[in-house]
């Protein structure tokens, strides 16, 4: 945190950090930073990110949220948001996630892109972004809110790291020469019952559009996307809540499937 960080931003960050540490959801932070101050919300997110890095956490990528037009209309916004992915949020298909790891967990299916080049210079247009992507895999994002009852506005979710909790990467890698992201078809099941479906068009019309947006926003905020990072490009269908014992599988054709199980909560 630098000396220009305002007292409300500091207090909002402390509230969210305390909720994460105590695993007890807190009240929204819009009362501290204002209901419409998106810059303040990202300042809170950045402060929390630096606190985590100082504590030893390692950044491995970014997530894009609010890519669905329906969700944008629900919150009264006209743009996505983004958050930071840390190494300790990362799981592989077939893993078990202790349900207490993420507060108030909800799962959504999306495409994850792995970057092979920095996105810090140039026009950051579709051609450049496409050329920077090494491969894609099917992914699950476990969204989680540190805010009680998911009582969130846009500034609340942005401040709370875009409501990111964990992510799961599938085993099958495909290059962009092998498939077209906007043409994928997704079905997500919980314990064998379909709870969400969609396609590539649900993510800003094309998941690659979302990555272009993110690359430009990240550079504008002074922290551009880097080679080796993972980008979760945004939900292909509605999210769904999960509890201990649930098994979630997303099939994203033609990328393949990714599965994760939610295990019993850790106890002290």
């Amino acid at each position: 945190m630098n000396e220009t960080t305002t007292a409300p931003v500091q207090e909002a960050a402390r509230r969210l950090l305390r909720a994460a540490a105590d695993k007890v959801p807190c009240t929204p932070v819009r009362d501290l930073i204002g209901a419409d101050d998106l810059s303040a919300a990202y300042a809170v997110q950045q402060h929390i990110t630096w606190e985590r890095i100082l504590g030893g956490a390692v950044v491995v990528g970014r997530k894009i949220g609010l890519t669905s037009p329906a969700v944008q209309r629900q919150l009264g916004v006209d743009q996505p948001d983004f958050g930071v992915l840390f190494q300790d949020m990362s799981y592989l298909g077939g893993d078990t996630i202790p349900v207490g790891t993420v507060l108030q967990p909800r799962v959504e299916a999306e495409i994850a892109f792995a970057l092979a080049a920095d996105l810090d210079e140039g026009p950051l247009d579709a051609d450049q972004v496409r050329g920077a992507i090494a491969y894609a895999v099917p992914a699950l994002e476990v969204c989680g809110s540190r805010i009680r009852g998911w009582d969130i506005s846009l500034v609340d979710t942005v401040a709370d790291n875009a409501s990111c909790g964990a992510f799961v990467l599938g085993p099958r890698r495909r290059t962009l020469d092998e498939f077209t992201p906007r043409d994928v078809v997704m079905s997500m099941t919980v314990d064998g019952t379909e709870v969400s479906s969609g396609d590539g068009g649900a993510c800003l019309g094309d998941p690659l559009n979302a990555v272009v947006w993110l690359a430009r926003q990240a550079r504008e905020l002074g922290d551009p996307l880097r080679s080796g990072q993972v980008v979760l490009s945004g939900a292909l269908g509605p999210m769904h809540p999960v509890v201990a014992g649930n098994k979630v599988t997303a099939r994203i054709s033609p990328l393949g499937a990714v599965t994760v199980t939610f295990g019993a909560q850790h106890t002290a």
Side-chain angles (χ1 to χ4, degrees), residues 108-124:
E108 59 189 27
E110 50 200 271
I111 300 173
F113 296 102
L115 299 180
D118 292 347
L119 288 170
D120 58 344
E121 297 180 347
L124 301 184

Side-chain angles (χ1 to χ4, degrees), residues 60-64 85 90-93 108-116 132-141 166-176 179 181 184 186 203 207-208 210-211 214 228-236 250 252 255-256 258:
V60 295
R62 307 287 177 84
K63 66 146 287 185
I64 310 169
L85 300 178
S90 178
Y91 293 84
L92 296 176
E108 59 189 27
E110 50 200 271
I111 300 173
F113 296 102
L115 299 180
I133 292 172
Y135 60 85
V137 298
L140 293 166
E141 181 184 350
F167 64 99
V168 186
L169 301 180
R172 187 175 184 181
R173 299 179 177 183
R174 281 188 176 270
T175 68
L176 295 184
F179 83 110
V184 303
M186 181 277 292
C203 181
L208 291 177
V211 184
L214 173 64
Q229 290 186 337
V230 173
V231 174
L232 298 183
S233 57
L236 301 173
I252 303 176
L255 284 175
V258 56

Side-chain angles (χ1 to χ4, degrees), residues 1-12 14 32-33 40 43-44:
M1 181 176 58
N2 60 50
E3 58 275 8
T4 64
T5 304
T6 66
V9 164
Q10 294 178 43
E11 181 56 32
R14 281 194 293 267
L32 296 172
I33 60 175
V44 175

Side-chain angles (χ1 to χ4, degrees), residues 85 154 165 177:
L85 300 178
L154 178 61
D177 291 332

Side-chain angles (χ1 to χ4, degrees), residues 136-159:
V137 298
L140 293 166
E141 181 184 350
V142 187
C143 302
S145 182
R146 270 59 61 174
I147 294 170
R148 189 178 305 124
W150 280 87
D151 178 16
I152 58 172
S153 67
L154 178 61
V155 296
D156 293 307
T157 187
V158 167

Side-chain angles (χ1 to χ4, degrees), residues 10 27 29 31 38 43 54 78 107 123 134 160 163 169 198 210 221 227 230 241 251 254 262:
Q10 294 178 43
T27 56
V29 298
D31 65 316
L38 200 54
L54 289 173
D78 60 359
V107 181
D160 189 24
S163 302
L169 301 180
L221 289 176
S227 176
V230 173
R251 292 176 175 83
F262 289 86

